[in-house]
Amino acid sequence: MAGTFITFEGPDGAGKTSVLKALIPKLQAHLSRPVRLTREPGGAKISEAIRELILDPANTEMDARTEALLYAASRRQHLREVIRPALAAGEIVICDRFVDSSVAYQGAGRQIGEAAVLEMNQFATEGLAPVRTLYLDVPSSTGLARIEAHRGDRQYDRLDRESIAFHERVRGAYLRLAAQEPGRIVTIDATKPLAQVVEDCLNTLHSVLAASWLA
Ligand code: TMP
């Protein structure tokens, strides 16, 4: 495969969206290959329709396994329509959330089992995994306080409404994943000011993308 697949992960309120918005133009300016930013759940028409269904605060009756299957279905379509073709064309694909989100949120947050969720996602992705994952870490209380403070800018969805215990399980799972896969997952301290977090991400990506980095 010619391209490079990189993902960003983090609990709610880690600031991924703001970091990526500032990071992508800077990154592109350093690189000789095109950078494609995409996100999950979503990134393709069918996947965005599934996103609406999953995150709609009105869908209170949604079963946890149904939710996990929908995330995996959304991911499958996104992978077929966007990620694989972009990688085949030699692009640097940066995806805002991927399988680790399902392991953390559905596996640990919803308590349906991290191993089961991972296995189901392997069916959906046929084993495609990012070469590097930047995990933006914040304590759950900080993340939730940020969401409250920016409620106007962001849709307050079904997952944001979960208890602090849910968000702590999610963060715990991310920290375990990072400890299990230190070669893939790089933890970034996202409690720092935005400009510093962006700088830390750029420095991390520099080593992964060295071959395409402009002097
Ligand atoms: P976002 O805030 O990064 O757009 O993500 C939307 C929500 O979807 C967020 O609360 C995390 C959740 N999510 C999962 O629960 N499982 C998944 O597999 C993905 C991709 C997202």
Side-chain angles (χ1 to χ4, degrees):
M1 194 179 294
T4 307
F5 185 33
I6 293 163
T7 59
F8 276 68
E9 293 283 352
D12 293 271
K16 267 185 308 90
T17 310
S18 311
V19 169
L20 285 167
K21 199 171 158 197
L23 176 72
I24 298 299
K26 280 181 192 264
L27 189 62
Q28 185 65 82
H30 284 295
L31 293 170
S32 56
R33 282 190 291 154
V35 176
R36 179 187 294 253
L37 174 64
T38 187
R39 70 161 183 186
E40 291 202 346
K45 188 177 68 141
I46 292 171
S47 309
E48 290 287 343
I50 298 174
R51 179 188 177 96
E52 295 296 311
L53 193 64
I54 304 173
L55 297 179
D56 186 343
N59 287 337
T60 50
E61 73 276 34
M62 190 178 290
D63 171 74
R65 287 178 188 232
T66 305
E67 181 186 89
L69 288 161
L70 286 172
Y71 275 116
S74 165
R75 177 162 302 130
R76 172 72 189 166
Q77 191 65 27
H78 180 224
L79 183 134
R80 291 287 300 193
E81 276 194 68
V82 178
I83 300 177
R84 282 253 180 225
L87 290 174
E91 295 181 16
I92 294 158
V93 177
I94 303 214
C95 192
D96 182 349
R97 299 195 180 281
F98 197 60
V99 173
D100 297 324
S101 282
S102 285
V103 172
Y105 283 82
Q106 281 65 56
R110 299 271 187 239
Q111 297 178 294
I112 59 171
E114 293 163 56
V117 170
L118 180 61
E119 193 184 340
M120 185 190 47
N121 272 277
Q122 275 162 347
F123 175 74
T125 62
E126 295 174 272
L128 177 74
V131 291
R132 202 68 90 245
T133 296
L134 279 70
Y135 165 58
L136 271 50
D137 183 50
V138 284
S140 308
S141 53
T142 310
L144 291 177
R146 284 182 181 173
I147 290 173
E148 272 299 316
H150 296 103
R151 193 103 78 100
D153 318 338
R154 185 187 190 280
Q155 187 194 348
Y156 194 62
D157 64 42
R158 225 162 43 79
L159 284 113
D160 294 338
R161 290 187 181 182
E162 289 299 328
S163 66
I164 182 92
F166 172 91
H167 290 283
E168 275 167 359
R169 287 196 298 275
V170 169
R171 181 175 184 235
Y174 273 129
L175 294 173
R176 274 197 301 282
L177 283 168
Q180 280 160 15
E181 291 189 67
R184 173 174 69 88
I185 305 179
V186 178
T187 302
I188 307 274
D189 178 359
T191 62
K192 292 183 187 170
L194 178 64
Q196 186 59 56
V197 178
V198 171
E199 202 52 42
D200 292 349
C201 291
L202 262 182
N203 289 337
T204 299
L205 292 174
H206 180 253
S207 58
V208 190
L209 299 169
S212 313
W213 208 267
L214 300 168

